[in-house]
Amino acid sequence: MPHAPSAPVILGNEPGSFPHSVLAERHPAIIRQVREAFPYGPATHRALDALLDSCTKGVIEPLPAAAPDRDRWNAWGLTMCSGRSWYDVPWLWSESYFYRQLLEAVGYFESGPWQGIDPFRPFKLAELDAPETDEELAALDGLSPRETGPALLHGSLWGNRADLGFRLSDASAGTAAAVPGLVADDSDALWSLLPPSGTGTLCLIADNAGRELVPDLLLIAHLLDAGRVERAVLHVKPHPYYVSDATPADVLDALRRLGAAPGTAASYGRTLWSAMTDGRLAVRAHPFSCAPLPYADMPGDLRAELAGAALTVVKGDLNYRRLVGDRRWPPTTPFAEVTGYFPGPVAALRTLKSDVITGLDADTEAALVAAEGQRWRTSGTHALVQVRT
């Protein structure tokens, strides 16, 4: 296994930095958004107020003794992070724990009327039912066989710009210029791992629900229909996470959305429904999907499953941070070096919404900095396809 170089772990304690703005501005905005989305009672409002105070001015607090995942979170670092400022622990960890505490505040895991109620569901459904979704699905009818594969890969890549949490902190994200280009493009290498008449398994680690999950599912349906994979495994989150991250319930919503659409979209919906019933498409919700840790720390059962895949596609910005490590890598650090631990071939499809980046050539980095300073890292207007075979 290649030895990956090291780089400083990203924290949120630098005023003016992107991670600091997420902790200080985005998280309070999400609390306000969730508060207004449901008719929560006084006790829940008090719990949300306490979380707001804690994450902006206080310290990280342990989970209640009765929390079903307390031992798991303790193993993931909670015992070491408790009592420390949210800004002084790894940003990936503090971001993840914020969402776990948000679920605690709204009673997601407790017995009662709000148990199992996704606090982000109204926003996910609004995204899925948006007119733009109809337009994107209708565009499938005009694709030739030669265009379909590349177009669906392209849709899965740029669908990540529908990320709801990102929109909260970047009002221009929905109006940015369409597809300004890729900062890295290993698409040919990706397709080489999914040859015609392929007999392998594709694992796709999903990111967001709604208008990103739909093109992910369309890509899977195409690969199954075209015979490029024999089987697909879709990894989603076991519970709500990062505002718009996909859960099993979101997969069902997306399948129903496709099934109700006209034309080619409905045909793909039937493919997916049939594939789930006969086992060609499986949905996984591994607890580690919500861990505040890099994939280098994945447990043995998940490692074994990914090792058996012809290709694992890792979607989105958060999963990219977990794939390469949430560190201040020099942008020219080779992608293959930082993913050398991964148990099989891996591809990252990501729009850039955070500081982490690897695998750029020096000329590309220089051109981006000259044109945009460092904003290119977080604006969501650039993307990448990176592959380690």
Side-chain angles (χ1 to χ4, degrees):
M1 180 183 299
H3 174 69
S6 186
V9 172
I10 294 177
L11 306 178
N13 58 6
E14 181 183 340
S17 69
F18 183 72
H20 190 277
S21 72
V22 169
L23 296 174
E25 301 169 18
R26 182 187 297 183
H27 288 178
I30 290 170
I31 291 173
R32 290 192 294 270
Q33 184 187 42
V34 167
R35 183 196 301 273
E36 296 168 0
F38 290 95
Y40 292 122
T44 301
H45 281 270
R46 287 193 295 271
L48 290 170
D49 288 339
L51 177 59
L52 177 62
D53 188 66
S54 169
C55 70
T56 54
K57 297 177 289 185
V59 298
I60 293 167
E61 299 177 1
L63 291 172
D69 54 352
R70 179 185 171 97
D71 289 345
R72 183 179 297 138
W73 271 96
N74 285 342
W76 287 344
L78 180 55
T79 53
M80 292 183 292
C81 293
S82 292
R84 300 174 63 185
S85 167
W86 292 79
Y87 295 87
D88 292 337
V89 302
W91 180 43
L92 175 63
W93 200 98
S94 59
E95 264 201 301
S96 298
Y97 193 59
F98 166 79
Y99 288 99
R100 174 58 185 87
Q101 287 287 52
L102 183 60
L103 293 183
E104 192 67 32
V106 299
Y108 183 87
F109 293 107
E110 296 179 9
S111 296
W114 298 105
Q115 185 177 36
I117 301 296
D118 184 345
F120 310 124
R121 183 168 172 78
F123 322 121
K124 292 175 177 179
L125 291 178
E127 187 73 46
L128 190 62
D129 293 336
E132 291 85 355
T133 306
D134 290 320
E135 296 169 8
E136 290 159 3
L137 294 178
L140 295 171
D141 296 331
L143 295 176
S144 69
R146 179 186 292 263
E147 294 171 324
T148 299
L152 291 178
L153 180 67
H154 185 276
S156 181
L157 169 65
W158 286 98
N160 185 248
R161 284 173 64 181
D163 181 337
L164 300 173
F166 179 71
R167 287 185 173 186
L168 284 172
S169 59
D170 188 348
S172 66
T175 58
V179 193
L182 303 181
V183 299
D185 186 6
D186 295 338
S187 298
D188 289 344
L190 185 152
W191 289 115
S192 73
L193 293 166
L194 302 171
S197 303
T199 58
T201 295
L202 171 77
C203 287
L204 192 150
I205 300 177
D207 190 32
N208 296 314
R211 284 174 56 209
E212 181 182 358
L213 184 59
V214 165
D216 291 346
L217 288 169
L218 292 173
L219 178 62
I220 289 173
H222 167 72
L223 294 174
L224 289 170
D225 276 348
R228 286 183 172 267
V229 296
E230 190 172 29
R231 184 170 176 269
V233 180
L234 178 66
H235 287 261
V236 296
K237 305 299 189 296
H239 55 70
Y241 192 61
Y242 276 70
V243 183
S244 51
D245 281 31
T247 67
D250 299 318
V251 175
L252 297 178
D253 287 337
L255 287 177
R256 293 189 180 99
R257 182 73 166 85
L258 287 172
T264 303
S267 175
Y268 279 136
R270 290 190 293 272
T271 291
L272 293 163
W273 195 277
S274 174
M276 287 190 70
T277 61
D278 65 25
R280 288 177 298 131
L281 172 59
V283 177
R284 296 276 191 270
H286 196 287
F288 190 76
S289 295
C290 291
L293 304 172
Y295 280 108
D297 295 335
M298 74 179 83
D301 61 334
L302 181 57
R303 176 177 291 274
E305 179 166 3
L306 300 181
L311 176 65
T312 297
V313 174
V314 176
K315 283 295 310 294
D317 195 79
L318 171 61
N319 284 327
Y320 186 86
R321 292 163 57 195
R322 297 184 69 194
L323 177 65
V324 304
D326 203 32
R327 296 173 176 269
R328 297 193 181 279
W329 300 111
T332 54
T333 303
F335 178 73
E337 288 191 24
V338 296
T339 57
Y341 71 88
F342 205 83
V346 62
L349 303 185
R350 175 216 184 189
T351 50
L352 278 59
K353 302 175 187 174
S354 65
D355 292 309
V356 177
I357 185 71
T358 67
L360 297 192
D361 64 60
D363 289 344
T364 298
E365 181 194 3
L368 288 165
V369 173
E372 304 177 34
Q374 294 300 321
R375 181 168 166 73
W376 62 272
R377 293 172 178 258
T378 60
S379 64
T381 57
H382 298 281
L384 58 80
V385 179
Q386 291 177 325
V387 176
R388 197 222 72 206
T389 58

